[in-house]
Amino acid sequence: MVLDFSLLARLTSPNFRRAFVLLFAFFIAPLVTSAQSQVRALLEEARTLEKSGDYPRAEQLYQQALAITPDDSEVLKRLGILEQTEYKFDESIAHFRQVLSRDPHYPQVNFFSGVSYFGKHDYSAAEQSFRQELATPHPHPRCRYYLALALQSSGHADGAIAQLDKAVVENPNDADAYYQLARMHTDAS
């Protein structure tokens, strides 16, 4: 048996590599860029529809964006947030899990996942999600407050008060945290 390496030599030649780069630059890259701009436009329009309360149409646009880029973390996150707004907690959690399976620290997904668990009254899972969010480089600004609510709801008042104390130190203008602290101290006395 004789092996012919001439094809391999031609595929690794500098001319072939240049031709491949040119092919990519002129044909494939514009398709990718076009898909990205389509998705961006769909996200913008969906967000506008969300603000006006047209959730079914916004969801359709998120689904269209997912048809273009099925594993796009930002699209999955935004769809999950929309589903959360509509009290579709199981669906939102499924989308958040998809994102977290690829990137456990994707910005704010642990927070929104925690809010969905909180909405389902699964305070243990909510607490876990909020703690994971707090471990990220830039946690959602309301995360500590919601962690305190989850702790309070699961009967851990001391932990809730500790989190609220930290929340007001981090954000002295957090009226919700002050209110919740005053309420908890009043209830305890």
Side-chain angles (χ1 to χ4, degrees):
M1 176 169 148
V2 176
L3 294 175
D4 183 10
F5 289 103
S6 62
L7 178 60
L8 180 61
R10 281 184 269 154
L11 292 176
T12 58
S13 74
N15 289 337
F16 179 78
R17 284 183 286 209
R18 275 190 224 112
F20 180 77
V21 168
L22 288 173
L23 178 70
F24 181 81
F26 288 111
F27 295 106
I28 298 171
L31 293 176
V32 171
T33 303
S34 174
Q36 289 171 339
S37 62
Q38 269 186 305
V39 168
R40 250 191 324 273
L42 287 168
L43 289 177
E44 288 174 22
E45 188 178 349
R47 187 68 187 123
T48 301
L49 290 168
E50 277 184 74
K51 288 179 182 178
S52 70
D54 190 351
Y55 301 138
R57 181 73 181 119
E59 186 171 350
Q60 288 175 345
L61 294 179
Y62 287 132
Q63 295 294 350
Q64 285 178 1
L66 283 175
I68 297 168
T69 56
D71 293 325
D72 187 302
S73 294
E74 188 61 22
V75 176
L76 289 166
K77 171 185 158 183
R78 300 259 308 263
L79 178 57
I81 293 169
L82 173 68
E83 291 164 336
Q84 185 179 83
T85 304
E86 297 180 291
Y87 302 102
K88 298 178 182 177
F89 298 121
D90 290 326
E91 292 91 335
S92 70
I93 289 168
H95 285 115
F96 296 142
R97 281 184 180 163
Q98 268 184 276
V99 174
L100 294 171
S101 70
R102 284 189 302 281
D103 183 355
H105 297 293
Y106 192 83
Q108 301 183 348
V109 173
N110 280 301
F111 169 75
F112 289 111
S113 179
V115 172
S116 287
Y117 282 118
F118 189 83
K120 287 181 58 163
H121 306 286
D122 185 346
Y123 304 121
S124 175
E127 178 186 345
Q128 181 180 358
S129 291
F130 293 138
R131 290 191 187 280
Q132 287 170 337
E133 176 70 17
L134 287 171
T136 64
H138 304 287
H140 190 282
R142 301 296 291 157
C143 189
R144 198 168 297 284
Y145 174 77
Y146 278 92
L147 172 58
L149 295 180
L151 289 167
Q152 181 184 16
S153 296
S154 63
H156 298 99
D158 290 341
I161 289 171
Q163 291 301 320
L164 290 168
D165 284 338
K166 288 179 184 178
V168 297
V169 167
E170 291 170 1
N171 181 5
N173 297 322
D174 189 344
D176 292 333
Y178 280 115
Y179 171 78
Q180 202 63 30
L181 265 172
R183 201 170 145 237
M184 290 185 75
H185 283 299
T186 303
D187 289 347
S189 58

